[in-house]
Amino acid sequence: MAFVFLVGLCILLIQVNFSADAQEGFISIDCGEVGSPYTDARGITWVPDGNYISSGTVATVSTGVGLSDGSSRSLQTLRFFPSDGKKHCYTVGPVNVSTRYLMRASFLYESYDGADTFPSFEISLDTSPWATVNIITASAVYVEEFVAVATGGSFVVCLYEGTNGNPFISSLELRPLGAGMYSVPYLDQSFLRKTLRVNFGALSAEAVRFPDDQSDRIWASDLASHLEGEAPGTRRISTNRSVDVSTTDRPPMSVMQTAVEGGKSGVSYRLNLEGYPAACYAVIYFAEIQELRPNQTRAFFFRANIQDTTFDGAVLNLDRDAGSFKAYEPGYINITFPAIVTIQLLEDNSSTLPPLINALEIYRIMPILAGTFADDSEAPPFCRSVDSPSAASPAEVPGDPCLPQPWDFLTCSSESPPRVSSIKLSSRNLTGSIPIDIGRMTGLVDLWLDNNQLTGTIPDLSQLGKLQTLHLQNNHLSGDFPSSLANIKSLTEIFVENNDLSGSIPASLLQSGVLIRADGNVDLCTSLSCAQSRKKKGNDFSLAGLIGGIVGGVVALVGALLAFYLWRKMKKKKTKKPREPSRLPFHGELSFTSAEFLPGDGNPLQHGDGARVFRLEELVEATENFSKKIGSGGFGPVYYGILAEGEEIAVKVMSSNSTQGGKEFYNEVTLLSRVHHRNLVVLLGYCLDLKERMLVYEYMHRGSLRDHLYGPLSEDEPFDWTTRLSVLLDSAKGLEYLHTGCSPTIIHRDVKSSNILINEKLTAKVSDFGLSRLRTDEESWISTGVRGTLGYLDPEYYGSQQLTSKSDVFSFGVVMLEVACGREPILVSLRGDPDANIIHWARKLFQNGDMEGLVDHRLKSNYSMSAMGRLVELAISCVDQFGRNRPTMSEIVGGITEIMQMESSSEFASRGLTDSMPSSSSRSSEVESPARRSDNESPSGSYNYEISSSDGIPPSGLLSQSTVDVPPVK
Ligand SMILES: *[C@@H]1O[C@H](CO)[C@@H](O)[C@H](O)[C@H]1NC(C)=O
Ligand SMILES: *[C@@H]1O[C@H](CO)[C@@H](O)[C@H](O)[C@H]1NC(C)=O
Ligand SMILES: *[C@@H]1O[C@H](CO)[C@@H](O)[C@H](O)[C@H]1NC(C)=O
């Protein structure tokens, strides 16, 4: 018994030790923390950031994040930086050269600065843009990660101004990766930015990370990852048996012990990859985690909507290829993914079991950009030692001088590579002498070192062929005035007053028209006469200057007033608020599993094709403070406005009780703003503010179809029959485009006459497409995920909750009936009577041949009865109980086109109850003729791709399996 106890104790001790060792090389920086280091619940030791950065201001976030693992403390302080076009950099190290590391930056925003718009700013790995941090909701954790190889003693991570607000950061974590992990051949010129990392079949919404993952990767639970397009019938499976995870990238065992198993149609997910199309590194992790009986096989193959053939074809049989309970990770080291990628795993013919997936990682390949011109980035040693607010830190300005943004006292040229064009270090309390290397910075235009305590001589600047202004006044510089300045033709200003210079100013300079200020130098002769008399001694001082430069080479420059001020400010903040973690209302989105939350660098302002971002003030002005309400949809009110450019807009203000996440909103908006068609209302952009979410649309002057049929405009501007038909044709074309022209297919889900808008030219456009998924609650909406408006709702969708494009067809059928009959889909006045429903009522009248009772009396008799008959017939086929019997949108477009031709050829000639009166077989084949396509019954988000032959050869992009042994840890 005692023995067992001792063994147990040993194991415990070993485990404790192991987990402590495993932290070796971890650097965990709590930005804005000013206390002492501490250890969190996972055993990670956090340190304050004072030793890693020398600028910025610290602040405390009062909303603590209720993370169960206790990591929240590191997010409760932050450091922010002025939005000044300059960069602010952390030097994170020491690191081992040639080792691969994972770097993670986290951001938790709260309006600590009193600003009323969310910040959007940039981060970089030294010179190379890493991500745009685009905060779209308060109190959610945004995480960016990269994998890179260390090329020096540290990594430099910089933050700089973006489109909005102050850059800030909450924490920075550096983790060494095990030998062989993420070993791709191009890491000398690129780094990998994490796009997503998902653990499928996860047991909870909690992410898996250290100590389960020795590299402390964060594996987001699929339950919290907003995955879309999941194939029907998938189920979650897991095992307690240990899984061998010794593959190249070493996924944690707990991640491999769970999986999602597909149904009949396999496994399928739709991924919205922000900032793509792009080349990426993608790894899919598989492990057979079920005991297979002898007569069972699991064999499947990949499919995705990508052009790369390496991805398709090969049949994977885990038991055969890797063995059961062993991880297998096909990886694609350089594959190009589109912005929306649908990954499918499909069961092979030889298989008896459906496909499964355990985990997935996608990293975007980011280029490492060259730095500033070498002479400039190496030359001015003193530039690297400015601004040290804290005595403890080795005062250094880290990173490249110019890229991606210059240090705060530099400006750089826009050539490639950039050159430093100005150094402005006036009044910074600089001491020591001017480094001679400054003479190599041949791109310099302005050199201002005035009002410091510089000593020594002025070095040789004769190579600075572009120098225009030289300000060295109010220092203690000595030695002779450098006569070589006379050779610089570009000079316009030389200020050297109040120094200890001697010698004389060359006559050529004095005569050249350069503005020279040289008073206050006791031994310096500034007149033309002595310049000439002293000419002979000319050569001496350049030698003296050189010696002086070398002797004075070591420079010690101390922080300026600014730094002192910042330090004071920091001290004040420190004592301000005691941290008081409070729980946030919607916990699901706030844990680390919201790692996927960050919309990446898809900042639409900067990446052309997306929606425009509007500032709240802009919209307040455009709408005259939301004074003219033109409607109220299920989302909230709609206001009229005019942009400064003169464009008329409609602003939809999303109701404030909508609880959908910022990410969902952002995803949808970016998706929708890419959809353009003549018959779709243009989504111009959006505004995401702390409190408000708004969508900005083009303004449609003539209201909705509903308004003209039986709404407020039906008296003044009634639509005649041909206008009605052309409105129907337009809107059918818009819907057809959503169904067949977009990838993935967009199902409107809320087609109705009030969503069909009319412009001045009487062109109809469908509005609100795609928005239903942004909506949460609304009384006309059925719960349980079924979305739509009563009266238009497809009963099949309602019953099965399987959404297809045929649901839109159903609703459009109702719209066609409204057009023909001029009545509302549901007449509240007839409540309880089946005739309250337009479908029931119209079908009955149509079958009874009572067209007069059916057709809108506002049309008088200005229509051809045969065309009208066709339209009603087409409409009734659209509202068939079964989706498979309904025509497709393309067929409807064809049908309406025919009806319009029929109408124009008849010219009201053959009016009356004629040919096309309903027979008992109510669907005429002519109606479906135009573009009969294969019955498109596939559920939303699924794709039909050509299947290339499955020949059993593994995809050529597969990484070979490495056999590095890692002891599994639990
Ligand atoms: C496989 O074998 C099991 C018994 O081991 C049996 O119950 C099952 O029906 C078999 N399935 C097939 C498809 O042959
Ligand atoms: C990835 O592949 C593309 C297309 O073949 C190529 O242009 C690019 O240079 C590759 N990237 C890397 C980092 O190897
Ligand atoms: C410069 O140094 C002096 C003396 O040490 C100090 O009083 C002054 O505040 C400093 N100025 C700045 C800008 O740091």
Side-chain angles (χ1 to χ4, degrees), residues 523-538:
D523 289 333
L524 180 65
C525 174
T526 57
S527 72
L528 207 49
S529 59
C530 64
Q532 272 145 0
S533 75
R534 280 201 171 208
K535 210 169 183 177
K536 277 167 271 148
K537 291 173 76 183

Side-chain angles (χ1 to χ4, degrees), residues 429 559-561:
N429 260 1
L561 260 176

Side-chain angles (χ1 to χ4, degrees), residues 842-852 854 865-866 868-874 876-877 912-924:
R843 198 185 269 134
K844 188 180 73 185
L845 292 181
F846 187 61
Q847 277 161 5
N848 296 342
D850 181 5
M851 290 299 277
E852 300 293 350
L854 185 75
M865 186 53 84
S866 58
M868 177 64 80
R870 273 295 159 73
L871 185 78
V872 176
E873 188 179 37
L874 180 58
I876 284 175
S877 72
L913 303 175
T914 52
D915 48 281
S916 115
M917 281 316 295
S919 58
S920 51
S921 76
S922 71
R923 292 187 70 206
S924 94

